[in-house]
Amino acid sequence: EHKPDHSIVTIADIKVEDFLISTLSKRLKPHLQDVSFLAEEKRDAPKVENPKHVVIIDPIDGTTNFSSGNPTYAITAALADNVDGRLVVRESVTLQPETSMFTLSSEAGAFQFDMNSKTMRELDLRHGDANKIVSLWGDIADKQDGPVIADMLRRLGEKGYAVRMIGSCVLTNAGVASGEYAGAIIYSGNKVYAHPWDLASSHQITRAHGIVTTIDGTPDPLNNDPHSMIAARNEIVHRDLLDIVQAARASAETAPKAQPVTLG
């Protein structure tokens, strides 16, 4: 089916979300009181007024990929505390079913599990080989956002960055946390917006000692407008990406607007 924003939802999205809500409701109840659910496909998921804890769920992030047979999609959930109306993530989990990779972040740090080889590694962006690959999310087909994103692509190339547009915010976050990407830009613009279920898994990046802000450089994109993200493994990459985004947005604001043509 198509949602009001014209994105698609499949029966798999609904069934996975129902399963997660049902299972987590039962498992969390003995341990946590006043738990609400913030889920993408089921806005009427169980809620309590002024909850102490919120479970954020995206049953399938990358539904367009999933529905077309592209394996680049993921299932994700995060447990957050409600601190004076702000969501503070305590734990985040991401599963990529096609590769059996599982990424987890908690107070103990960030970790990645390969369920095929049954191996685990701790994620720490302060160590390991650096690369110059950036994951970019946004609607390049939109009349307003497209020129801004195209300008970002040009500027990233001039800085020597290779770009991946994978269509999944959640896997973008896991990719930065694991070191697959040096950084990421999630651009909420004219028609396509990031939501809490897209951004909560950025907790994996911060627990791996990376940097996460909005595209304006404001901390905590989960709770601050614009709901967008710049993530980076270190300050150098973050400054590059922040400068590129700001320059592309400024260029779009000053670009001459097309004038209507009158046929006589």
Side-chain angles (χ1 to χ4, degrees), residues 45-92:
K47 291 183 175 68
V48 297
E49 187 175 350
N50 194 28
K52 292 181 180 179
H53 312 285
V54 179
V55 177
I56 307 167
I57 294 174
D58 192 338
I60 298 180
D61 182 66
T63 300
T64 300
N65 292 341
F66 167 78
S67 64
S68 64
N70 183 328
T72 311
Y73 65 92
I75 300 167
T76 189
L79 174 63
D81 293 334
N82 176 10
V83 180
D84 298 325
R86 300 175 70 85
L87 294 173
V88 179
V89 176
R90 290 172 49 181
E91 297 178 342
S92 169

Side-chain angles (χ1 to χ4, degrees), residues 183-222:
I185 300 167
I186 293 178
Y187 185 68
S188 286
N190 179 46
K191 289 185 179 178
V192 177
Y193 303 94
H195 298 281
W197 42 84
D198 298 311
L199 299 177
S201 58
S202 63
H203 182 257
Q204 296 164 10
I205 300 169
T206 57
R207 296 307 300 165
H209 306 286
I211 301 167
V212 176
T213 69
T214 71
I215 56 174
D216 289 334
T218 306
D220 192 12
L222 183 60

Side-chain angles (χ1 to χ4, degrees), residues 92-261:
S92 169
V93 292
T94 296
L95 168 66
Q96 189 173 1
E98 297 283 350
T99 61
S100 296
M101 296 299 292
F102 184 84
T103 308
L104 163 71
S105 58
S106 68
E107 292 181 356
F111 306 88
Q112 195 166 71
F113 303 84
D114 184 331
M115 293 186 291
N116 288 321
S117 63
K118 295 182 172 57
T119 57
M120 180 194 79
R121 68 184 180 107
E122 185 173 3
L123 305 179
D124 190 338
L125 295 172
R126 297 170 299 181
H127 309 294
D129 297 331
N131 61 53
K132 295 201 75 172
I133 303 173
V134 170
S135 182
L136 174 60
W137 182 91
D139 187 3
I140 198 168
D142 182 71
K143 290 182 179 180
Q144 291 187 36
D145 294 346
V148 181
I149 294 171
D151 198 2
M152 289 183 202
L153 291 170
R154 177 182 64 81
R155 294 174 189 274
L156 285 164
E158 290 175 350
K159 279 278 191 177
Y161 289 99
V163 181
R164 305 288 185 270
M165 298 187 75
I166 64 174
S168 169
C169 294
V170 169
L171 287 182
T172 288
N173 292 336
V176 176
S178 69
E180 179 182 357
Y181 307 129
I185 300 167
I186 293 178
Y187 185 68
S188 286
N190 179 46
K191 289 185 179 178
V192 177
Y193 303 94
H195 298 281
W197 42 84
D198 298 311
L199 299 177
S201 58
S202 63
H203 182 257
Q204 296 164 10
I205 300 169
T206 57
R207 296 307 300 165
H209 306 286
I211 301 167
V212 176
T213 69
T214 71
I215 56 174
D216 289 334
T218 306
D220 192 12
L222 183 60
N223 292 290
N224 284 296
D225 287 330
H227 289 298
S228 60
M229 190 184 81
I230 291 178
R233 66 178 298 125
N234 56 39
E235 290 280 0
I236 296 172
V237 176
H238 184 263
R239 173 47 57 187
D240 277 350
L241 300 189
L242 186 60
D243 288 347
I244 285 167
V245 171
Q246 296 306 317
R249 295 173 74 194
S251 179
E253 290 176 0
T254 59
K257 302 297 186 290
Q259 297 298 316
V261 175

